[in-house]
């Protein structure tokens, strides 16, 4: 680990799918620096390589070449330390649908090593902030798209991550849920110093909501 001002830093980060002659380069020698404690919008059209970049940074994909650090740790040399310090809300949500929101959030908290008392202390404020308390006894199976997204957000925040990755967090989410999610993200940055890194293809959203924006097109 090395102390610096960057929550995320990449050097020539590259991901190729397939062989060198006929394969597709999804991310091509990406150099990126994201300061700590901001909301950073990763803007680009569909197919630009945004999700591939996020998947490399959170450890779901191995880079073909290049390097990156997240929260000061190398994604190649210290993947466990990176995963301990991040929260992730992927575009395709993977939730345990036959659990309630509190049960799902508790499970994620236990996987991150939080004790039962700490989990019990943290869950109610998250449910309240994300307006999930009224649905706390319903299974996720019966949730709307917006409620599922907010459940995933609460699970990603339960362990107070240093860096929060969101892949198209407002896709298919109703305006009321969008407003609630924006508010909790801003509060998380302002109060905890968390860095929020989220992908979007909506220019207006990036301009209005983000402190800084990076534009990705065809992997560059």
């Amino acid at each position: 680990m090395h102390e610096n001002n960057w929550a995320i830093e990449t050097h020539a980060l590259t991901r190729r799918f397939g062989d060198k002659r006929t394969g597709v380069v999804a991310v091509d020698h990406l150099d990126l620096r994201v300061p700590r404690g901001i909301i950073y919008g990763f803007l680009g059209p569909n197919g630009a390589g945004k999700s591939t970049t996020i998947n490399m940074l959170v450890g779901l994909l191995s880079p073909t070449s290049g390097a990156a650090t997240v929260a000061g740790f190398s994604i190649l040399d210290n993947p466990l330390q990176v995963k301990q310090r991040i929260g992730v809300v992927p575009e395709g949500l993977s939730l345990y649908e036959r659990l309630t929101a509190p049960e799902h959030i508790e499970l994620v908290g236990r996987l991150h090593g939080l004790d039962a008392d700490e989990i019990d202390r943290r869950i109610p404020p998250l449910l309240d902030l994300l307006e999930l308390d009224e649905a706390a006894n319903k299974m996720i199976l019966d949730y709307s798209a917006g409620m599922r997204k907010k459940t995933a957000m609460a699970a990603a925040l339960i362990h107070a991550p240093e860096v929060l990755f969101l892949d198209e967090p407002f896709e298919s989410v109703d305006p009321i849920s969008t407003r609630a999610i924006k508010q909790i993200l801003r509060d998380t940055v302002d109060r905890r110093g968390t860095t929020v890194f989220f992908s979007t293809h909506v220019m207006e959203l990036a301009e209005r909501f983000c402190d800084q924006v990076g534009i990705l097109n065809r992997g560059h």
Side-chain angles (χ1 to χ4, degrees):
M1 180 180 178
H2 61 278
E3 292 293 337
N4 57 35
N5 292 323
W6 310 116
I8 301 165
E9 189 172 12
T10 71
H11 299 282
L13 191 66
T14 301
R15 175 66 196 203
R16 179 189 298 273
F17 294 96
D19 60 42
K20 290 184 177 181
R21 294 183 61 189
T22 61
V24 174
V25 179
V27 178
D28 192 0
H29 292 81
L30 178 66
D31 291 324
L32 179 69
R33 283 180 168 178
V34 178
R36 296 175 185 267
I38 69 166
I39 296 177
Y40 188 92
F42 200 41
L43 180 67
N46 292 330
K50 302 187 302 296
S51 294
T52 300
T53 300
I54 289 176
N55 287 339
M56 286 191 286
L57 294 174
V58 304
L60 293 177
L61 275 178
S62 298
T64 303
S65 61
T69 60
V70 175
F73 289 91
S74 166
I75 64 170
L76 298 174
D77 300 331
N78 306 109
L80 182 58
Q81 287 86 341
V82 170
K83 290 174 183 177
Q84 289 172 339
R85 290 163 174 79
I86 64 173
V88 184
V89 180
E91 184 176 12
L93 298 179
S94 297
L95 303 175
Y96 292 98
E97 294 189 338
R98 296 199 175 275
L99 297 179
T100 64
E103 290 169 342
H104 181 83
I105 298 164
E106 178 183 357
L107 173 61
V108 174
R110 287 184 176 273
L111 291 173
H112 277 285
L114 299 179
D115 62 42
D117 289 341
E118 185 66 15
I119 291 171
D120 288 343
R121 184 181 69 81
R122 293 186 183 191
I123 285 180
L126 284 172
L127 295 179
D128 180 56
L129 281 170
L130 288 165
E131 301 172 353
L132 287 168
D133 37 5
E134 291 185 5
N137 294 321
K138 295 181 181 179
M139 288 194 296
I140 294 170
L141 184 68
D142 297 322
Y143 284 8
S144 66
M147 291 169 64
R148 287 169 181 253
K149 190 77 76 170
K150 289 191 288 186
T151 299
M153 187 78 64
L157 289 169
I158 185 65
H159 60 296
E162 292 181 38
V163 185
L164 180 62
F165 290 92
L166 312 172
D167 197 357
E168 297 284 359
F170 305 111
E171 192 79 10
S172 303
V173 178
D174 64 89
I176 294 176
S177 296
T178 295
R179 184 175 60 198
I181 292 170
K182 285 182 177 179
Q183 185 59 55
I184 194 171
L185 292 178
R186 177 52 67 186
D187 288 346
T188 299
V189 170
D190 292 344
R191 294 180 183 180
R192 297 182 181 176
T194 303
T195 303
V196 174
F197 183 95
F198 83 91
S199 69
T200 182
H201 60 271
V202 182
M203 176 71 78
E204 182 181 9
L205 174 62
E207 287 182 332
R208 291 189 175 186
F209 184 55
C210 300
D211 301 310
Q212 290 188 19
V213 174
I215 300 175
L216 190 70
N217 187 37
R218 297 181 181 180
H220 296 278

